[in-house]
Amino acid sequence: MQTLVAFADLIVFAVLLLVGYGVGRIAEKAHYASIRKREKLFERVTVFSCRFPPTVSQPYQASLVCGSVVVSQDYFKAVAAGLYSIFGGRVRSYESLLDRARRESVLRMKHAALRKGASMIINVKFQTAQVPGRGVGAVELVAYGTALRPVA
Amino acid sequence: MSDWSNPRLPQEAVNVGESRPLLSFFVMVAGLGAVIAACALVLMVFAQAIAAWLPFSAEQAVAARFVKPADPGAEPEATLQALAESLVGPQGLPPGMTLKVHYNLLPVANASATVGGNITIYRGLVEAIDSENALAMVLAHEIAHIRHRDPVRSLGRGMALAVVMSAVSAGAGSAVADWLLGSAGNLTVLSFSRSQEARADADALAAVAQRYGHVAGADAFFREMQRRSASAGAAGSVPVFMRTHPATEDRLQRMQNLAADRRWATDGALMPLPPVLQAIRDARAAKELPGG
């Protein structure tokens, strides 16, 4: 019992690390599965970064659409990122996190476009913002663009 | 509009590095650990070297914070103190250095020297010896540690380790550092190196030879501890003394060689224990044999 108390901090650290790793991995896997499924589903909404629509023969109705997502790191990713910040190199633990956030924000933007009856989004841009707060380590990713709905 | 299209989905493994998170994590942890260990080692060696330059008065001030004041009027302490002072020899102690011998009632067979010239003799040690000569050897050994500033060197080393560890805890994994601080920090504080022990042995033997004119019975306590650990080794209950003062065979051999080199007599009459200490031994013996 005494050793348990003496090693309490280490045990808490190890538990957080294990929970962060286990739960984080399961959540990431599930999220990727959902992302792939919806990417297929929304494939017919096309996105472009150019500012002007292709030469058109029909009139379009343009409106702003945006998709926003806030993601948080898990404990394991945070500790791993701390280590990368010492040794340098690609922060691999954050690469998958931000990849998920980027794709999710595009999916939400496409969803918004579909609800407006649009099938094309131009002038797509991304923005990130760090969510303030001590030890939060969350990031917001916004994708926005101009959805074009053909006017019959 | 047909030439406007999006690439086929899904696009995988472009933006995400192929990753083996656990492997890279452990590689980095090991690397960081090695760097910290190297820093700690360098600092510990450095601190150990400069600690001996600390004035003895500063050492006493440090000791005053955690060495408990002596129980006034404790008779064994006065006797032990007198014996210790008689062992200092004609050359005396370095200027400013003082000794204070404490008697501890714990039944462990051990003795220790710590900062500020404080020596502790445990009841178990008094019960384990049968002559003043053996006690004098142990006392002189601890006095030699103090004379050579071994406790403060060890304390400096432990402090350096604590500083490195606290720096780590502020930065990265504070929990890991706290754990190290709790165990390794305390563990190393007052352990002496093999060479420090050897030097203390040599000095102590010389002091005993000077005091009694021979070195007979000087290693009695070491032999007793060796005997006890041999019989208790299998049970895993090695005496505490053996953990702090490894009384190996070659250590005893070295003492014998030294006595031969210096031509100290190896036999002579043993001094009986002072009456106060003999009473402690008798009380123990009476407890072990309640019928007789």
Side-chain angles (χ1 to χ4, degrees), chain B:
Chain B
M1 222 185 112
S2 60
D3 52 338
W4 280 57
S5 68
N6 274 174
R8 292 282 306 170
L9 290 167
Q11 300 168 270
E12 298 288 331
V14 175
N15 294 318
V16 182
E18 59 91 31
S19 79
R20 297 164 79 180
L22 277 184
L23 181 72
S24 41
F25 181 81
F26 284 121
V27 167
M28 288 190 292
V29 166
L32 190 65
V35 169
I36 292 166
C39 288
L41 212 66
V42 168
L43 271 177
M44 281 162 79
V45 168
F46 186 64
Q48 198 173 357
I50 62 168
W53 293 85
L54 204 69
F56 195 77
S57 56
E59 201 183 312
Q60 281 171 318
V62 170
R65 300 176 65 144
F66 63 87
V67 176
K68 279 175 284 168
D71 182 11
E75 268 190 276
E77 269 184 14
T79 310
L80 291 168
Q81 180 78 33
L83 183 58
E85 270 157 22
S86 77
L87 285 162
V88 166
Q91 76 272 33
L93 289 167
M97 191 178 278
T98 57
L99 293 176
K100 180 81 197 87
V101 186
H102 305 265
Y103 175 70
N104 191 307
L105 283 170
L106 286 177
V108 287
N110 200 8
S112 67
T114 186
V115 287
N118 290 290
I119 295 172
T120 305
I121 299 290
Y122 291 85
R123 179 161 62 96
L125 184 140
V126 175
E127 288 166 357
I129 51 170
D130 51 8
S131 73
E132 192 188 284
N133 305 58
L135 178 62
M137 178 67 193
V138 175
L139 268 175
H141 175 96
E142 304 304 343
I143 293 168
H145 276 315
I146 286 165
R147 193 196 294 275
H148 293 296
R149 312 293 302 275
D150 291 344
V152 78
R153 282 177 214 263
S154 293
L155 189 66
R157 194 178 56 192
M159 293 294 280
L161 185 66
V163 166
V164 171
M165 287 310 163
S166 64
V168 170
S169 74
S174 67
V176 179
D178 286 348
W179 166 66
L180 284 168
L181 213 86
S183 57
N186 292 339
L187 204 84
T188 52
V189 163
L190 290 180
S191 68
F192 304 129
S193 72
R194 199 170 279 248
S195 65
Q196 284 174 326
E197 291 295 346
R199 188 169 59 179
D201 276 348
D203 281 18
L205 207 60
V208 168
Q210 195 168 40
R211 171 88 162 77
Y212 300 99
H214 62 82
V215 295
D219 60 0
F221 180 66
F222 300 93
R223 294 222 176 269
E224 170 67 11
M225 285 301 107
Q226 204 182 29
R227 192 187 62 72
R228 281 194 199 178
S229 77
S231 62
S237 58
V238 176
V240 185
F241 183 85
M242 294 295 276
R243 273 181 257 145
T244 50
H245 302 70
T248 53
E249 191 53 52
D250 61 294
R251 186 176 172 190
L252 291 168
Q253 190 60 50
R254 229 184 0 249
M255 282 161 64
Q256 280 175 5
N257 293 347
L258 185 71
D261 278 358
R262 303 277 180 91
R263 296 173 197 285
W264 288 323
T266 49
D267 43 39
L270 296 184
M271 286 280 283
L273 277 175
V276 179
L277 303 177
Q278 187 59 47
I280 293 167
R281 248 179 88 75
D282 292 346
R284 168 75 181 173
K287 214 180 279 176
E288 273 184 3
L289 298 167

Side-chain angles (χ1 to χ4, degrees), chain A residues 31 38 42 65-70 101-115 121 141 143:
Chain A
H31 191 202
R38 283 176 297 147
F42 298 154
V65 282
C66 102
S68 152
V69 61
V70 179
R102 214 161 30 235
R103 287 160 78 172
E104 180 69 39
S105 66
V106 170
L107 284 170
R108 289 182 183 182
M109 181 181 67
K110 282 186 173 183
H111 191 84
L114 270 177
R115 288 168 82 164
I121 309 168
L141 221 148

Side-chain angles (χ1 to χ4, degrees), chain A residues 89-107:
Chain A
R90 293 166 62 179
V91 187
R92 290 166 207 274
S93 60
Y94 283 171
E95 280 183 343
S96 63
L97 191 73
L98 287 170
D99 180 60
R100 277 158 56 199
R102 214 161 30 235
R103 287 160 78 172
E104 180 69 39
S105 66
V106 170
L107 284 170

